[in-house]
Amino acid sequence: MTKTSGSASICVENAEIAKVVLMPGDPLRAKHVAEHYLENPVCFNTVRNMLGYTGTYKGKQISVMGSGMGIPSMGIYATELYTQFGVDAIIRIGSAGGLAEDVKVRDVVIAMAASSNSSYGAAFGLPGYLTPAADYGMLEHAVASARAMNLPVKVGLVYTSDFFYYPTPEANTKARELGHLAVEMEAAGLYWTAAACHKKALSILTISDHIYTGEALSAEDRQESFHEMMEVALETAWHCVE
């Protein structure tokens, strides 16, 4: 049986999407996670090459699918997964640029909440500002999983920007001064969407470069070497599956 989403961005045939979905921005990272971490992965989506797979992890069904770059792309896929395919929770697994002095390249950051320069949240109609925040239960499981692996993670604020090439560099300085650990492009959009859909979300990030030190990972490393982040995310997803 084939099921196609309202925007035709997802077309599922002869497969299922699990209740919990891991979402890297890069669809090739989704393929890497499926092939290296899931048992018996089956590809459920190839539309626009936004690859999606479902397999099992420690006996529980988990899916992984790309989200694309930026809040609008994340918003489309997350909304459709939540509202049209019965997904209960999404965990963003992605890269971020380090801002804080004590954040280093390859560090794992868990986004408790996300500030943003995007107007996306205003569309939900709350007078004032709709705060994009993680689901606490998922956050708690992620921190506990990291501790069990003896992995020191950093938990706190991240800054979600609509710009990759921000026209005024002072924005990063201000975000750093206000305690943001890192800057990225999707977490706030995922958190807003989860709130509106009455679902769960969490963002777990690996620092791929640092805005102030100039350190950076290669494109290949960004795709294939984020093992610690992936393992924390998989353990968190496993706890979310009933």
Side-chain angles (χ1 to χ4, degrees), residues 9-112:
S9 298
I10 305 173
C11 182
V12 177
E13 185 174 6
N14 298 323
E16 293 182 349
I17 300 179
K19 293 294 184 181
V20 181
V21 179
L22 307 184
M23 292 200 82
D26 184 353
L28 291 181
R29 192 178 299 157
K31 183 174 185 288
H32 178 84
V33 173
E35 292 176 345
H36 289 80
Y37 292 95
L38 300 183
E39 296 179 1
N40 303 313
V42 176
C43 183
F44 66 77
N45 189 68
T46 60
V47 178
R48 302 185 184 123
N49 287 323
M50 194 57 74
L51 303 174
Y53 300 83
T54 297
T56 57
Y57 177 75
K58 294 184 176 179
K60 293 185 179 182
Q61 193 175 62
I62 293 172
S63 293
V64 57
M65 180 179 177
S67 71
M69 294 179 68
I71 288 176
S73 185
M74 171 60 83
I76 291 171
Y77 289 108
T79 298
E80 293 185 349
L81 288 171
Y82 283 142
T83 64
Q84 300 175 35
F85 293 93
V87 170
D88 292 330
I90 294 174
I91 302 174
R92 163 162 157 67
I93 47 172
S95 58
L99 291 175
E101 185 176 355
D102 63 343
V103 169
K104 311 299 182 186
V105 168
R106 295 186 186 271
D107 279 357
V108 175
V109 169
I110 302 175
M112 177 173 62

Side-chain angles (χ1 to χ4, degrees), residues 110-130:
I110 302 175
M112 177 173 62
S115 302
S116 182
N117 57 16
S118 175
S119 60
Y120 192 89
F124 297 106
L126 180 71
Y129 188 79
L130 177 60

Side-chain angles (χ1 to χ4, degrees), residues 211-228:
I211 304 301
Y212 293 94
T213 68
E215 295 177 276
L217 299 177
S218 69
E220 183 178 359
D221 283 339
R222 294 183 189 209
Q223 179 177 313
E224 297 185 355
S225 68
F226 292 173
H227 302 302
E228 293 173 334

